[in-house]
Amino acid sequence: MESVLRDISFAFRSLRRQPAFAITAALTIALGIGATTAIFSVVNAVLLRPLPYNDAARLGTVWNDMRNRNVVDFPIAPGDFFDLQNELTQLDGVAGLNTFRPTIGGDGKGDPEQVVGAGATTNLFTMLGHRIHLGRNFVPEDGTPQPAQPQGDALPNLDAPPPPLPNIAIISYELWQRRYGGDESIVGKSIEFGNGRADIVGVLAPGFELLFPPGTNVDPRPDIIVANRVNYETGSRNNVFLRVVAKLKPGVSFEQAQSELDRLSADLRSRFPIKQTANSNFRIEPMHVDLVADVRPQLVALMGAVVFVLLIACANVANLLLVRASARERELAVRAAVGGNRWRIIRQLVCESVVLAAVGGATGLLIAQFGIDALIQLSPEGLPRATAVSLDGTVLAFTAVASFAAALIFGLLPAWRASRPDVIDVLRSSGRLVGGTSGRWLRDGAVIAEVALAFVLLVGSGLMIRTFIALQNASPGYDPSNVMTFLIQNNRAQGVEGRAAFQRTMRERLKALPGVIDATSAGPIPLDGTNSLARFGPLDAATDPSKFQQAITYFVQPGFFAFSKTPIIAGRDFTESENRPEARVIIIDELIAAHLFPNGNAVGQRMLARAITPEAETYE
């Protein structure tokens, strides 16, 4: 150990005598280590780090796939959720949830605020293992279904239905701090929540997240969670909205759980014709695997690219070390001539490489931190757990291993070559440099490897740049220039006429703002990641449900297509007189027109669609 420390001390002195070489080599390694560490921190947070839940390996997400309609990852209906709860023996529990954007207020804390809300079954936090910081967790009674409206002679006064039960809510730690300043008296208070009120019974511990795959319309950080008051036993089989998490029993595999889900799917198809025609099937996926399925290939490819960058840096430093070894041939020959052990010389030279890698690794951590900050700022919306990216212990250990591995890669071969000097020729040279041709094959090989790696990276980056330019130039079908979008909740607008009046007033007031040319509304907004699906088909699908297909549906105001500069290639836009639920008119895209009416013009034809009613209706 003492001799190793002496070698390290000698390595520092040797490198200090050649500061230009030492700085150049250390910075080269620092850039490679910094880039590799920054990307690995993303890979670690997204792909490697376990989910922040208890027994995360036993958690799975359950989806409904309608295979005859090419629909996957569909939500679960309340009635189906009841069967998942009660018919499966391989599961330790099933929890359902959905997220939305309510407005809260009436708490004496300033203006009403739009927040991220979630409705959940009362066992959600118990299943995920997230702690309650203040107050209490949900109890089963918090999910008692709302009382039904009175029927017949159920009540003496038929105009006075049973009063609705209050929403029972738990708020996030972050909302508690931001809006309520950590005031513990908020527990037990009632606040305005959407159209009603909510009784706050608890505050979650910090950092709660709902981790679902991108595109499933689940906000990961809800501010307020209420217990769903839904009668699942008598619930709808068509009104789908629940995202479902299941927990396997100890020792049960996902394959075993899937087999049981297949049996339940077959039973439901035999009982409900609509499920048979859609070929509805439940599917369970490990929660972590499901979360990262879409981003895993990109992150693995990106990690491979930065490893290439690190290898190029190692090849650069290896070349520098070979040149430096050529200049030190006389020194090394003298050491060999006086009895210096070859392995001792190799160890000395490798120690110099380790010192360079250590300095480069430490500098690389600083570069990586800047890189991580930039990655978080630039990360796409669909990257899960982006806020968890950091230089934690795992990343630091990776940096240390990567630095040591780099030292061996760029240091061992030059050290091996330099430890075998031609002692007689070198000592006879009387100071002339004879190492110019010695080891040239090794230097040439390093250059060839470096160029080859750089060429691979260049081709890959060229393809990515070409793809990026193509995406930038691709037309989305509308003009987003100078358009500002925002989400508005008109929770207090009652009835069809009330909502219509609200939207008219909103558009008129927006158009009156200075600089505003026009205003409209739509739900959802194109390409915002939210998909509203509806069933459609030809008229004979009424007797042959297998002809129904699934499509993304938008609800828009008259004039929306002119506003967004979306071309209508046949027919016309909606009129104001058609802006009412009973007007059964519809605008379809070119793909559906070709599918339903391949032999003629679709304008004026009739079709079936289930857009705003429980069953499909006829539209023009």
Side-chain angles (χ1 to χ4, degrees):
M1 183 65 184
E2 185 179 348
S3 62
V4 172
L5 293 176
R6 283 199 302 269
D7 286 343
I8 294 175
S9 177
F10 181 81
F12 272 108
R13 293 196 304 271
S14 176
L15 293 172
R16 196 169 53 210
R17 287 195 294 268
Q18 292 181 303
F21 163 80
I23 292 173
T24 301
L27 284 179
T28 301
I29 289 298
L31 291 172
I33 291 291
T36 308
T37 299
I39 298 302
F40 177 78
S41 66
V42 179
V43 172
N44 176 57
V46 177
L47 300 184
L48 303 181
R49 190 180 299 168
L51 297 181
Y53 305 133
N54 281 357
D55 301 318
R58 291 165 49 200
L59 292 175
T61 43
V62 180
W63 305 106
N64 181 18
D65 295 341
M66 294 185 290
R67 296 174 182 172
N68 286 351
R69 297 177 187 165
N70 298 318
V71 175
V72 297
D73 295 350
F74 209 51
I76 307 294
D80 295 342
F81 180 80
F82 178 81
D83 290 327
L84 292 175
Q85 278 185 314
N86 295 277
E87 300 296 329
L88 302 178
T89 62
Q90 306 280 12
L91 301 183
D92 221 2
V94 181
L97 59 100
N98 62 295
T99 60
F100 48 94
R101 293 293 181 99
T103 300
I104 61 172
D107 48 18
K109 299 297 180 180
D111 295 334
E113 177 184 354
Q114 187 179 97
V115 297
V116 177
T121 52
T122 56
N123 63 336
L124 177 67
F125 302 123
T126 302
M127 179 182 294
L128 299 182
H130 198 79
R131 295 185 301 105
I132 302 297
H133 176 77
L134 184 69
R136 67 168 176 85
N137 198 351
F138 290 134
V139 295
E141 291 74 20
D142 295 335
T144 301
Q146 291 286 1
Q149 294 292 324
Q151 300 292 330
D153 298 326
L155 290 175
N157 182 0
L158 299 182
D159 295 326
L165 297 171
N167 289 300
I168 305 300
I170 294 175
I171 62 175
S172 71
Y173 184 90
E174 290 72 20
L175 179 68
W176 182 52
Q177 293 292 325
R178 184 183 75 246
R179 185 172 177 93
Y180 303 110
D183 181 9
E184 296 187 0
S185 66
I186 190 64
V187 174
K189 289 186 176 179
S190 179
I191 64 171
E192 293 178 1
F193 179 78
N195 285 335
R197 301 193 66 80
D199 296 339
I200 298 176
V201 298
V203 177
L204 285 172
F208 177 70
E209 287 186 293
L210 296 173
L211 296 174
F212 278 76
T216 54
N217 306 334
V218 176
D219 273 301
R221 296 173 191 84
D223 296 301
I224 181 168
I225 302 93
V226 298
N228 276 339
R229 292 191 180 277
V230 177
N231 190 332
Y232 296 103
E233 185 173 7
T234 61
S236 168
R237 299 279 177 172
N238 297 329
N239 182 22
V240 297
F241 62 91
L242 289 171
R243 308 295 180 176
V244 174
V245 182
K247 191 170 191 177
L248 306 184
K249 288 184 177 179
V252 173
S253 69
F254 281 94
E255 290 75 15
Q256 291 172 308
Q258 184 61 60
S259 296
E260 197 168 37
L261 282 172
D262 290 340
R263 289 193 292 273
L264 177 59
S265 299
D267 177 59
L268 292 179
R269 289 196 300 271
S270 68
R271 291 160 51 195
F272 301 99
I274 190 173
K275 295 184 181 297
Q276 181 65 43
T277 57
N279 193 9
S280 178
N281 287 268
F282 291 126
R283 172 173 50 87
I284 187 170
E285 298 284 352
M287 196 172 187
H288 195 186
V289 173
D290 201 23
L291 176 68
V292 302
D294 289 340
V295 300
R296 181 185 294 276
Q298 294 91 325
L299 289 181
V300 171
L302 198 57
M303 190 67 203
V306 293
V307 168
F308 272 23
V309 171
L310 180 57
L311 291 175
I312 291 172
C314 289
N316 267 316
V317 176
N319 249 326
L320 290 174
L321 287 173
L322 284 169
V323 173
R324 184 169 183 260
S326 297
R328 296 176 66 187
E329 274 193 333
R330 188 171 183 81
E331 171 201 338
L332 297 174
V334 170
R335 293 175 64 178
V338 298
N341 182 278
R342 183 182 180 188
W343 293 108
R344 184 75 169 77
I345 295 173
I346 291 175
R347 191 178 72 184
Q348 173 64 64
L349 296 176
V350 169
C351 281
E352 292 183 12
S353 299
V354 171
V355 169
L356 284 174
V359 175
T363 309
L365 284 175
L366 298 177
I367 297 173
Q369 185 59 64
F370 287 109
I372 289 171
D373 294 339
L375 286 171
I376 293 175
Q377 293 293 327
L378 298 174
S379 63
E381 197 68 29
L383 182 66
R385 308 180 74 186
T387 56
V389 178
S390 64
L391 292 177
D392 61 7
T394 302
V395 175
L396 293 177
F398 170 82
T399 303
V401 172
S403 300
F404 183 73
L408 295 181
I409 291 171
F410 69 71
L412 197 56
L413 201 56
W416 177 268
R417 175 65 189 84
S419 69
R420 302 178 61 187
D422 191 333
V423 177
I424 296 176
D425 285 347
V426 171
L427 295 180
R428 284 177 176 173
S429 66
S430 301
R432 291 183 293 108
L433 182 62
V434 299
T437 59
S438 178
R440 178 170 293 175
W441 65 270
L442 195 55
R443 292 194 296 274
D444 290 348
V447 172
I448 291 171
E450 183 179 352
V451 171
L453 291 171
F455 186 75
V456 172
L457 280 180
L458 187 62
V459 171
S461 59
L463 289 172
M464 292 180 69
I465 292 171
R466 180 183 176 186
T467 302
F468 178 77
I469 294 173
L471 288 173
Q472 291 292 98
N473 294 330
S475 172
Y478 63 93
D479 183 5
S481 305
N482 300 320
V483 175
M484 183 182 74
T485 63
F486 55 91
L487 180 67
I488 190 164
Q489 297 289 119
N490 53 328
N491 289 309
R492 290 172 177 78
Q494 299 296 320
V496 173
E497 290 302 321
R499 290 193 293 272
F502 173 85
Q503 294 205 21
R504 284 195 298 269
T505 303
M506 178 187 68
R507 291 202 305 274
E508 290 167 2
R509 295 181 65 177
L510 286 173
K511 290 179 183 179
L513 295 175
V516 174
I517 299 173
D518 200 358
T520 189
S521 60
I525 296 171
L527 297 183
D528 77 341
T530 303
N531 289 333
S532 176
L533 297 179
R535 193 165 72 245
F536 77 94
L539 292 178
D540 58 354
T543 56
D544 184 2
S546 65
K547 293 184 178 181
F548 277 116
Q549 295 292 311
Q550 211 81 4
I552 297 173
T553 306
Y554 296 93
F555 297 90
V556 303
Q557 293 291 324
F560 172 82
F561 298 105
F563 173 93
S564 61
K565 299 180 182 178
T566 299
I568 297 179
I569 61 176
R572 60 171 175 82
D573 197 353
F574 298 119
T575 65
E576 284 295 340
S577 64
E578 294 165 339
N579 191 14
R580 50 194 176 87
E582 60 270 21
R584 294 293 183 259
V585 291
I586 197 168
I587 294 175
I588 59 177
D589 68 3
E590 195 172 10
L591 184 65
I592 292 180
H595 175 75
L596 289 182
F597 313 105
N599 299 320
N601 186 6
V603 176
Q605 303 284 350
R606 301 176 75 78
M607 60 179 285
L608 294 177
R610 179 188 175 272
I612 58 175
T613 53
E615 297 300 329
E617 294 191 323
T618 303
Y619 285 80
E620 178 186 351

